[in-house]
Amino acid sequence: MTTEETIAALDRGEVRVAEPAGEDWVVHEGVQAAILDFFRSRRMEPREVGPFEYHDKIPLKTGYAELGVRVVPPAVARYGAFLSPGVILMPSYVNIGAWIGPDTMVDTWATVGSGAQIGAGVHLAGGVGIGGVLEPPGARPVIVEDGAFLGSRCIVTEGVRIGREAVLAPNVSLTASVPIIDVTGSEPVEHRGFVPPRAVVVPGTRPKEFPAGTYNLSCALIIGYRSESTNLKTSLNDALREYGVGS
């Protein structure tokens, strides 16, 4: 496919930057390269949307009624992002190459970066920041699997993968290098770049020694796992209360 054909296929959901392959994910380098080529080939153009004026290279996505998507002003999705039926965009932003599954909520001032893969039935709460990853080609984008709940002001970048039905408390910040420490057993178990399915995660710190002294650095703590009795529609606070940390 040409670059233009690839971007059109991305917009229709016929190709993806990354997709599940068994228990893992496969990244399509050619699709990432096509997005970068698309940026290079486009010229800046003014665009008017009602009383608003924009000046950008990438057109806005259109046809929401036909897609079965609810978009609340002034939410913006760029052409080349795919939104499944039942998606709700509160005033938020979805970048090119992103793929969002059915019945997912992108809440107020949340952002979904370029190439990010967001599953079905996910809730990205207010102010969640999902980073974009397009280069180097082959780099894994941020992945949030089905049924996950990310609390307000969570930040997930650098290709971190959030497992199915995981719950992240407000203000959890994850990069590829931030330790994600399971403290539910007799000994800590450390993950990096991956939150296991159904894990309940809260912000934490741990001490590290430097020449100037000992200081606490950010980490994330897995304090439990969602029980079978916790259905997918529970509130974030309900899930956290099971572990004594909800408000």
Side-chain angles (χ1 to χ4, degrees):
M1 287 191 291
T2 66
T3 293
E4 295 283 345
E5 290 170 339
T6 300
I7 303 305
L10 270 172
D11 194 73
R12 296 189 298 266
E14 296 169 2
V15 300
R16 296 171 62 171
V17 168
E19 58 188 330
E23 295 299 313
D24 204 352
W25 285 70
V26 61
V27 178
H28 299 300
E29 297 181 30
V31 175
Q32 291 174 319
I35 295 172
L36 295 173
D37 286 342
F38 191 61
F39 276 113
R40 286 189 284 266
S41 68
R42 302 283 302 181
R43 292 184 178 180
M44 299 287 287
E45 297 179 31
R47 303 178 188 280
E48 293 186 4
V49 182
F52 299 101
E53 181 179 333
Y54 298 93
H55 191 226
D56 190 25
K57 292 185 173 185
I58 310 297
L60 299 179
K61 191 172 180 66
T62 59
Y64 293 120
E66 295 83 357
L67 291 171
V69 172
R70 178 184 173 195
V71 181
V72 178
V76 172
R78 266 175 152 181
Y79 175 67
F82 178 71
L83 308 176
S84 300
V87 166
I88 298 174
L89 298 186
M90 299 303 286
S92 55
Y93 179 76
V94 180
N95 209 343
I96 186 171
W99 190 99
I100 301 181
D103 303 318
T104 282
M105 164 77 83
V106 182
D107 221 326
T108 304
W109 308 136
T111 58
V112 180
S114 48
Q117 305 294 297
I118 312 297
V122 170
H123 188 153
L124 304 179
V128 165
I130 302 295
V133 177
L134 288 176
E135 51 188 347
R140 188 175 73 182
V142 173
I143 295 166
V144 181
E145 296 182 342
D146 296 353
F149 194 125
L150 277 63
S152 296
R153 291 356 187 224
C154 284
I155 299 172
V156 184
T157 63
E158 295 181 352
V160 171
R161 176 181 169 190
I162 308 298
R164 292 174 61 94
E165 301 174 20
V167 173
L168 272 59
N171 298 311
V172 170
S173 182
L174 299 178
T175 69
S177 60
V178 169
I180 303 164
I181 307 170
D182 188 331
V183 295
T184 60
S186 58
E187 295 290 337
V189 177
E190 186 171 312
H191 305 270
R192 292 188 188 243
F194 175 62
V195 172
R198 301 183 67 83
V200 176
V201 184
V202 300
T205 61
R206 67 176 184 179
K208 183 175 177 61
E209 293 186 5
F210 295 92
T214 300
Y215 296 89
N216 288 327
L217 297 183
S218 296
C219 68
L221 302 177
I222 298 173
I223 59 169
Y225 289 84
R226 293 179 69 159
S227 66
E228 294 301 323
S229 63
T230 306
N231 67 44
L232 294 179
K233 294 183 180 178
T234 189
S235 73
L236 174 62
N237 274 334
D238 285 343
L240 293 174
R241 282 191 197 104
E242 294 185 18
Y243 305 96
V245 294
S247 61

